[in-house]
Amino acid sequence: MAAWRYHSELDAARIQAERVHLAAREPEGVTYREVDAGGVPGIRCEPVDADTDHVLLHSHAGGSVPASAPVDRKLGGHIAKAAGAPELVLGFRRTLEHKYPAQVNDAEAAFNWLLSEGYEPGNIITFGHSIGGFIAVALALRLRDTKLPLPGAIVSISPWCERHLRRRADPRRTRPRPDPAGDESWRSARHSADV
């Protein structure tokens, strides 16, 4: 019963996350196409009159559990339009099915795919928010540590950098803080996923 409850709650959370983008306005003058970015699914956002010498590699938010690339598609389109460059919204593997560092591996595969597509490393900007912000930085650190070409810039918005979600004790509190992501099954799943 517990496994069934967990999976149905996870499916419900993913369905709810997939609907978030419906509240956002569609950017004008941007087209989309699905791509295979070195074995990783992605959505390529192409603004009209984009500078095709540069590209943004976008890792979506969502704690790497409920959200996916389609949730950030419109956001990717707006950012691509504002930057005047195409953007690849990466559909990296989700955490509960694929433990860390699978997500960074996917970002590296997509980065290498962009290189194979003719982009100069310095013309690739890694971008992300929340867990995506972490992935944008983790990718650059991995590339640096392995002495591979680095992206030209990193844009990391509110990165989720504490992978283990440890909480510091607050002596002023008499009751434990509620978990912002939900009930005990989510907390256990996140800890066991190691992200």
Side-chain angles (χ1 to χ4, degrees):
M1 178 66 176
W4 176 86
R5 179 174 171 247
Y6 167 72
H7 286 294
S8 65
E9 288 175 359
L10 176 61
D11 291 342
R14 286 181 171 169
I15 290 167
Q16 185 176 7
E18 295 293 325
R19 293 181 181 151
V20 167
H21 76 94
L22 297 174
R25 184 176 48 83
E26 194 73 57
E28 294 179 15
V30 177
T31 60
Y32 303 95
R33 66 184 168 97
E34 293 183 7
V35 297
D36 178 334
V40 183
I43 301 171
R44 180 129 172 147
C45 310
E46 296 273 354
V48 174
D49 300 325
D51 169 8
T52 56
D53 289 338
H54 292 80
V55 66
L56 290 93
L57 178 57
H58 176 130
S59 296
H60 64 78
S64 78
V65 177
S68 64
V71 174
D72 271 13
R73 179 187 65 82
K74 290 180 188 174
L75 174 62
H78 284 290
I79 292 167
K81 186 175 179 179
E87 181 164 333
L88 174 61
V89 180
L90 190 59
F92 57 80
R93 289 173 284 175
R94 294 195 261 198
T95 298
L96 295 185
E97 294 87 351
H98 306 279
K99 287 192 172 200
Y100 178 84
Q103 301 74 24
V104 180
N105 295 345
D106 288 351
E108 183 177 13
F111 184 84
N112 289 330
W113 178 77
L114 290 170
L115 294 175
S116 75
E117 290 288 299
Y119 286 101
E120 293 294 323
N123 289 348
I124 301 172
I125 294 96
T126 61
F127 171 88
H129 54 115
S130 189
I131 194 67
F134 166 77
I135 292 169
V137 172
L139 170 60
L141 292 174
R142 176 185 286 183
L143 294 171
R144 179 203 66 190
D145 291 349
T146 54
K147 304 206 181 344
L148 292 172
L150 298 172
I154 303 167
V155 178
S156 180
I157 301 171
S158 299
W160 179 14
C161 294
E162 176 53 69
R163 290 187 20 239
H164 299 288
L165 299 173
R166 294 185 186 107
R167 294 181 187 255
R168 291 180 182 89
D170 185 345
R172 297 172 293 176
R173 292 191 178 266
T174 57
R175 295 186 319 202
R177 291 184 193 168
D179 189 315
D183 64 25
E184 182 64 34
S185 64
W186 272 97
R187 188 166 39 253
S188 297
R190 286 195 329 235
H191 283 288
S192 67
D194 193 33
V195 167

